[in-house]
Structures are given as C-alpha cells and as structure tokens.
Amino acid sequence: MERGKLFYVSRFFVRLGIGRWTADVPPPAGPTVYVCSHSNLRGPLATLCWLPFAPRPWVFHMFMQKETCRAQYRDYTFSRRFGMPKPLAAYAAWAASGYVSALMRSLGAIPVHRGTVKIGETFRETAAALQAGESVLIFPDVDYTDGSEGIGEVYDGFLLIERFWRRISDRPLDFVPLRLDRSARRITAGETARFNPSADRKAEMTRVREKLREEINRA
C-alpha cells in the first residue's frame, strides 16, 4: 500500500524532532508481523519514521475518523490522561483530530476494533494485507504509557492473526520482535517466532507471546 503525501511531510518534521535512528532490520522475506514496544509513543515514531520499508501499523479505530478521534482526545487523552480542563481539552481535540485521522489513513493504518464485534474485520484486513505482500506492525503493550525501552504485560489477542492467516494460506507467518535502543538510537530485529501448526494452539499462543516479549526485552 502506497503511503500518502501527508505521511511523508509529517515524517520529515518528526525526524527533525526525534533525530536519526538506525534500523538494523532486514526487509520482510515473506508474510511478516513486526512486534515492538510502544514506549509512550517512542516505538511508533522511531519505527514508522526509520524502518527501510513500510509496514502497516495497527491503530485503535477511534483515531481513523475525525469525529471519533475528536471524542477520544476530548474525553480521554487530553482530559483524563493529560489533566486539561474540559474546555481546553475540547479545543485541543478539535485542533488535532482532523490532522491525526488524516495521517492514520495516509500511512495505511489498519483499524483495530478493540472490544467490539467488528474485531473480526481487523483480522481479515490484516490477513488480506499480508496476502498482498504487505507487512504489519503492532504495539501490543497493556501499559503503552510506559516509557522504558522494553515491554511489560502485553495483549496477546493479536496472535489470532495466525488463525485467520491459516484460513487463506499455507505459507508460514513470521512474527518478528523489534528492540529499541534509545541511547544508540537503534532498532534491531530479534529472533523470529512462528507457530507450530501441529502443537496445541493455546500452548502455542503462550509460547509465541513469551518468546516475543523475551526477545524485545533482551539487552
């Protein structure tokens, strides 16, 4: 999926702000899901700006459309998280929502319908993107405000991608962990994890999840 002009313009200014990062991450050789810590926005900014290829990130569906993005910013991000007074939070949400929602579409984000009956659409769109030769980027932290380089508790529901993938392809699906080194400004790839199709599915969910966490947290 070709990214839009708004992404490239935004990337220029974000790169000025966060500085140059080195990405020691080879391009995907096949269907690949990259997994990285959010690190209080550092993960998305570094990877989306400096990876030498263009994965499609998972993004909370509220940020995909202007009105829902405005409500999310007004009722949670600016008011509850940042503690702004309600009138100021409403103004900030109005100012930011149009740009942010347009940017999410410009970078080809896949909407994550977390906690709704539409979550199946997320997995189907993801599987279709992988089948089309695109890679996917996911930040599964439970505490996404944690600014550390590693990753703590994670939502493991994203691993159900493998189940949807198996419905449309027999090719192996790679889950590649990405590590952030803030002092060296470097992104590196850890050891790839794959599901064993002949093993117990529930046990494999736990094994793959923990392997990804271990690789992301490896010093």
Side-chain angles (χ1 to χ4, degrees):
M1 184 175 187
E2 183 66 27
R3 286 174 168 170
K5 292 181 180 179
L6 181 60
F7 165 77
Y8 291 106
V9 172
S10 300
R11 185 181 68 175
F12 173 81
F13 289 103
V14 173
R15 281 179 167 181
L16 291 178
I18 69 173
R20 176 176 291 277
W21 283 61
T22 300
D24 297 327
V25 182
T32 303
V33 176
Y34 293 93
V35 183
C36 185
S37 62
H38 194 283
S39 193
N40 200 21
L41 202 57
R42 185 176 293 106
L45 293 179
T47 53
L48 291 171
C49 283
W50 291 108
L51 284 176
F53 48 89
R56 295 183 61 185
W58 268 22
V59 170
F60 186 34
H61 76 277
M62 296 288 283
F63 294 114
M64 298 295 294
Q65 301 297 328
K66 183 176 180 179
E67 290 306 316
T68 54
C69 183
R70 182 184 300 175
Q72 177 72 13
Y73 277 151
R74 182 191 63 226
D75 300 335
Y76 175 73
T77 305
F78 294 141
S79 56
R80 292 172 57 188
R81 184 181 172 195
F82 294 148
M84 290 183 179
K86 287 185 178 180
L88 181 58
Y91 175 77
W94 173 82
S97 56
Y99 165 74
V100 170
S101 56
L103 178 61
M104 294 303 103
R105 297 191 298 273
S106 182
L107 58 82
I110 296 174
V112 179
H113 299 278
R114 189 174 65 207
T116 77
V117 295
K118 297 177 69 176
I119 189 62
E121 295 181 11
T122 300
F123 290 110
R124 285 188 287 272
E125 183 172 350
T126 301
L130 293 167
Q131 191 176 40
E134 299 169 330
S135 57
V136 176
L137 177 61
I138 296 177
F139 307 91
D141 317 51
V142 171
D143 181 9
Y144 62 87
T145 64
D146 181 2
S148 64
E149 296 173 350
I151 196 167
E153 185 180 0
V154 301
Y155 296 109
D156 59 6
F158 74 94
L159 293 171
L160 291 173
I161 294 170
E162 195 270 344
R163 185 180 301 180
F164 281 76
W165 175 247
R166 289 295 170 195
R167 295 176 183 175
I168 61 174
S169 178
D170 293 328
R171 298 179 67 189
L173 177 60
D174 291 339
F175 289 87
V176 176
L178 300 179
R179 305 187 194 108
L180 302 174
D181 184 339
R182 185 166 51 204
S183 60
R185 294 182 179 275
R186 181 178 294 116
I187 308 163
T188 56
E191 184 179 350
T192 297
R194 285 182 179 177
F195 277 78
N196 180 352
S198 62
D200 177 76
R201 187 180 297 274
K202 187 174 182 180
E204 281 295 279
M205 288 274 287
T206 300
R207 182 188 68 81
V208 171
R209 180 195 69 206
E210 291 307 308
K211 179 174 182 177
L212 291 171
R213 287 185 67 249
E214 178 182 340
E215 287 293 314
I216 291 171
N217 290 327
R218 190 183 298 278

